[in-house]
């Protein structure tokens, strides 16, 4: 079936025009379903899995996305009860459980560090793909922020914000950096506990 493509509401109309013009250039009618994202909606994927869009902070309207597992959890007031008592109560009432959303994987895309600092969903994700464009003094934090990116200095100074992330993948490094430079800089700069959870997502 046609692919569902989601985008920030602000760019839905111009992006629709671009897609129409591209079809005209190609002389081929592409099949797709372009939709402006609803930031308050849980989009179902399969079973109890779905995703939510999270606004990122970039030079243009942009989104990150979080894949979420929905599950039922026992309310705190019933946690100390033995299993047979819980089974009995389940037959008598329907308020023993609440629906919880567990953030499994979050992908930031291009963004400033606030994508992490201002979103509990991001900070509590088990796996986080987070951009880290610049890692050196030649490209300072101010430059990264001006272009809507994140500098390694900001990740280091806000390391506690990643405390609940089980695995951090750093992505989108500037092509000016060699693989060896990136790996050494991360080892030297990141706190040991965070470095152990971090993988540099490199293609070469």
């Amino acid at each position: 079936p046609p692919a569902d493509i989601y985008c920030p509401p602000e760019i839905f109309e111009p992006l629709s025009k671009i897609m129409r013009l591209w079809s005209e250039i190609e002389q081929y009618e592409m099949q797709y379903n372009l939709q402006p994202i609803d930031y308050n909606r849980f989009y179902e994927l399969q079973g109890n899995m779905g995703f939510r869009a999270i606004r990122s902070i970039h030079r243009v309207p942009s989104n990150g996305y979080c894949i979420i597992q929905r599950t039922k959890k026992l309310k705190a007031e019933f946690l100390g009860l033995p299993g047979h008592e819980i089974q009995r109560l389940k037959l008598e009432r329907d308020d023993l459980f609440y629906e919880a959303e567990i953030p499994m994987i979050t992908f930031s895309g291009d963004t400033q560090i606030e994508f992490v600092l201002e979103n509990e969903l991001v900070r509590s994700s088990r796996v986080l793909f987070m951009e880290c464009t610049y890692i050196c003094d030649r490209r300072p934090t101010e430059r990264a922020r001006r272009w809507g990116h994140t500098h390694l200095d900001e990740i280091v100074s806000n390391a506690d914000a990643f405390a609940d992330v089980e695995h951090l993948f750093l992505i989108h490094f500037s092509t000016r950096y060699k693989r060896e430079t990136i790996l050494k800089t991360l080892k030297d700069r990141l706190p040991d506990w965070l470095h152990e959870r971090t993988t540099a997502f490199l293609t070469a």
Side-chain angles (χ1 to χ4, degrees):
D4 289 320
I5 303 174
Y6 300 94
C7 68
E10 300 92 330
I11 65 171
F12 173 72
E13 287 300 333
L15 189 55
S16 297
K17 292 178 183 177
I18 290 172
M19 298 296 281
R20 286 194 297 269
L21 287 170
W22 191 254
S23 291
E24 183 179 326
I25 292 170
E26 290 281 319
Q27 297 183 9
Y28 173 75
E29 190 65 33
M30 292 181 286
Q31 301 299 310
Y32 60 89
N33 180 24
L34 183 64
Q35 302 179 48
I37 201 77
D38 180 351
Y39 294 100
N40 296 314
R41 177 180 167 186
F42 177 86
Y43 289 83
E44 294 184 357
L45 291 173
Q46 188 176 32
N48 63 343
M49 304 297 289
F51 73 88
R52 290 186 182 278
I54 306 169
R55 280 195 182 274
S56 49
I57 303 97
H58 193 47
R59 294 175 55 248
V60 297
S62 57
N63 298 327
Y65 292 91
C66 182
I67 296 177
I68 292 169
Q69 179 185 48
R70 275 187 165 175
T71 184
K72 291 187 181 297
K73 288 192 172 183
L74 192 65
K75 291 181 178 178
E77 59 263 38
F78 304 112
L79 287 177
L81 298 178
H84 68 272
E85 180 66 12
I86 293 174
Q87 288 297 324
R88 184 186 67 79
L89 289 173
K90 283 172 66 175
L91 300 175
E92 299 176 359
R93 51 199 297 178
D94 59 2
D95 63 344
L96 271 67
F97 298 88
Y98 68 95
E99 190 171 70
E101 292 190 353
I102 303 173
M104 305 298 290
I105 303 172
T106 296
F107 180 84
S108 74
D110 290 358
T111 189
Q112 294 177 352
I113 189 68
E114 282 79 6
F115 179 79
V116 176
L117 303 182
E118 297 177 358
N119 290 290
E120 174 63 25
L121 206 60
V122 177
R123 294 193 303 276
S124 56
S125 293
R126 292 185 176 177
V127 177
L128 171 59
F129 287 82
M130 178 64 189
E131 85 120 275
C132 182
T133 302
Y134 298 132
I135 63 172
C136 69
D137 293 338
R138 291 185 179 179
R139 293 292 185 276
T141 298
E142 293 74 19
R143 181 187 177 98
R145 294 187 64 78
R146 186 164 64 250
W147 290 94
H149 293 299
T150 299
H151 196 290
L152 179 61
D153 287 352
E154 297 175 287
I155 294 175
V156 172
S157 62
N158 292 284
D160 288 347
F162 299 87
D164 293 330
V165 175
E166 294 179 13
H167 205 104
L168 174 64
F169 287 90
L170 293 181
I171 61 175
H172 197 265
F173 295 99
S174 170
T175 55
R176 73 183 63 254
Y177 302 123
K178 294 182 178 180
R179 179 187 185 93
E180 296 76 16
T181 300
I182 293 171
L183 295 177
K184 184 179 186 308
T185 302
L186 295 184
K187 188 175 188 339
D188 291 344
R189 296 290 316 284
L190 291 173
D192 290 342
W193 65 267
L194 184 55
H195 183 260
E196 290 175 0
R197 306 180 191 179
T198 301
T199 298
F201 199 77
L202 304 171
T203 57

